Amino acid sequence: MIDLHAHSTCSDGTDSPRALVNQALIQGLTVLAITDHDTVDGWDEARSALRLNLELVLGAEISCLTSSGTSVHMLGLLFDGDNSDMRVMLEETRDSRIPRMIKMIQLLNAADITVTMDDVIAAKPVGATLGRPHLADALVKLGLIKSRDEAFQGLLNNDSPYYVSHLAPTPEEAIKHIRKAGGVAVIAHAFASLRGRILSAEDFEPMVQAGLNGIEVDHRDHSGLERAELRSIAHNLGLVITGSSDYHGTGKLNVLGENTTHREEWEKLESFANERRVVRS
Ligand code: AMP
Ligand code: ZN
Ligand code: FE
Ligand code: FE
């Protein structure tokens, strides 16, 4: 079982990188990718926790914004984590998440929803990429909502009046950086309409020009119809098809290995990296 998208406490997951690797072993995965939001901080710990025959793919889920302001997540896998342009791109996005959070808190406060930056920081593991899930956790702790899920269905979703975006590369910029760093680029949950504004079929062409390698088709947030459409787009553009869980520990309902990638698709994807970077114990 191959799962190419999972989060740890280095972003908004609730399992440490070590616990994530252990969970992959328990679930019987053969390949796991660690893909925290805008960071490679979990790589070393995940690598050191590897046991048995599990193979580890080091990656990151890069937050992007299209020129028309649609939020897109790009999975970068198998890239050189020391590549300086990649590091700068990830750092700039992480930095801009701080003023963005301050603005969201100000909007909430103006609506008499009392939460502070201190509450959010207290809800976040040290060093983790700051995100809305940590704000959700703070609101849960204050007794203002029941769960992250409730937050994302209302107060904190992309269409809410309290939503603020942060600086981010365009999908094409992210793809170019990933590919220059030797890795492969797979667009995550592209048609997840529940998350707000989504892409349309024409949006993939410039990404392919920039070097896109694959489309995440099998994902919990895609309906059967959305999967069928994405599968056909991938087929027409000659892109690899992946499936993955987008596991976040107890932070989301997603179970590790609930969607997986076929071995042939994975082998094709891996062959596009400039070096064999899969980690084995
Ligand atoms: P941000 O990156 O700060 O904009 O926050 C978006 C993150 O929130 C995404 O990466 C999702 O993984 C997470 N998220 C979205 N919907 C939910 C949900 N219903 N429950 C928990 N986390 C969610
Ligand atoms: Zn997340
Ligand atoms: Fe995502
Ligand atoms: Fe994700």
Side-chain angles (χ1 to χ4, degrees):
M1 282 207 298
I2 300 168
D3 191 338
L4 298 178
H5 182 171
H7 297 266
S8 78
T9 45
C10 289
S11 60
D12 53 0
T14 61
D15 287 357
S16 65
R18 174 174 305 281
L20 172 61
V21 166
N22 284 333
Q23 195 57 36
L25 278 169
I26 290 166
Q27 299 286 330
L29 294 189
T30 51
V31 181
L32 165 76
I34 179 169
T35 54
D36 277 305
H37 298 287
D38 307 309
T39 183
V40 299
D41 275 2
W43 287 14
D44 286 347
E45 185 182 319
R47 203 191 262 123
S48 69
L50 261 195
R51 298 288 181 275
L52 280 176
N53 300 323
L54 179 65
E55 295 181 343
L56 180 67
V57 177
L58 300 171
E61 183 175 18
I62 301 171
S63 314
C64 306
L65 273 180
T66 66
S67 48
S68 55
T70 303
S71 158
V72 169
H73 286 177
M74 191 63 61
L75 294 166
L77 307 172
L78 301 169
F79 60 88
D80 171 10
D82 291 325
N83 180 280
S84 55
D85 287 345
M86 272 300 278
R87 293 195 85 94
V88 169
M89 180 174 71
L90 298 177
E91 218 166 79
E92 283 178 352
T93 304
R94 287 199 306 273
D95 287 350
S96 82
R97 285 169 166 276
I98 296 165
R100 176 266 197 139
M101 183 61 70
I102 293 171
K103 283 185 203 154
M104 287 192 70
I105 290 170
Q106 285 170 345
L107 290 171
L108 288 164
N109 291 168
D112 287 333
I113 300 164
T114 310
V115 58
T116 66
M117 192 63 170
D118 283 348
D119 295 330
V120 178
I121 296 304
K124 181 180 89 71
V126 175
T129 302
L130 177 63
R132 277 179 285 165
H134 305 117
L135 174 55
D137 290 348
L139 294 170
V140 171
K141 204 157 172 211
L142 291 166
L144 296 171
I145 52 164
K146 289 214 166 52
S147 64
R148 281 188 182 185
D149 216 40
E150 186 185 325
F152 278 92
Q153 291 188 19
L155 275 186
L156 301 188
N157 83 19
N158 290 36
D159 298 324
S160 108
Y162 312 110
Y163 176 75
V164 176
S165 62
H166 53 77
L167 286 183
T170 64
E172 290 78 17
E173 283 164 351
I175 292 165
K176 284 182 190 160
H177 277 92
I178 294 164
R179 299 304 310 277
K180 275 198 190 139
V184 298
V186 177
I187 183 167
H189 48 70
F191 276 0
S193 50
L194 291 176
R195 290 167 180 255
R197 285 175 61 189
I198 60 158
L199 299 171
S200 53
E202 309 81 68
D203 294 319
F204 293 87
E205 184 59 40
M207 295 189 216
V208 173
Q209 294 298 325
L212 183 70
N213 301 105
I215 298 183
E216 185 181 59
V217 171
D218 290 310
H219 183 285
R220 166 185 287 257
D221 295 351
H222 288 152
S223 68
L225 215 61
E226 288 164 344
R227 290 179 200 211
E229 205 184 333
L230 281 172
R231 215 176 285 282
S232 125
I233 291 171
H235 188 74
N236 291 337
L237 295 172
L239 297 169
V240 168
I241 288 165
T242 72
S244 37
S245 65
D246 202 357
Y247 176 71
H248 280 69
T250 56
K252 261 184 166 182
L253 301 173
N254 313 29
V255 180
L256 210 55
E258 68 176 23
N259 282 297
T260 54
T261 300
H262 293 161
R263 170 64 56 183
E264 320 81 76
E265 296 293 313
W266 164 236
E267 283 172 2
K268 193 166 150 198
L269 188 63
E270 208 247 323
S271 75
F272 293 131
N274 75 335
E275 268 181 40
R276 304 282 69 81
R277 289 207 182 82
V278 176
V279 187
R280 299 178 174 88
S281 60

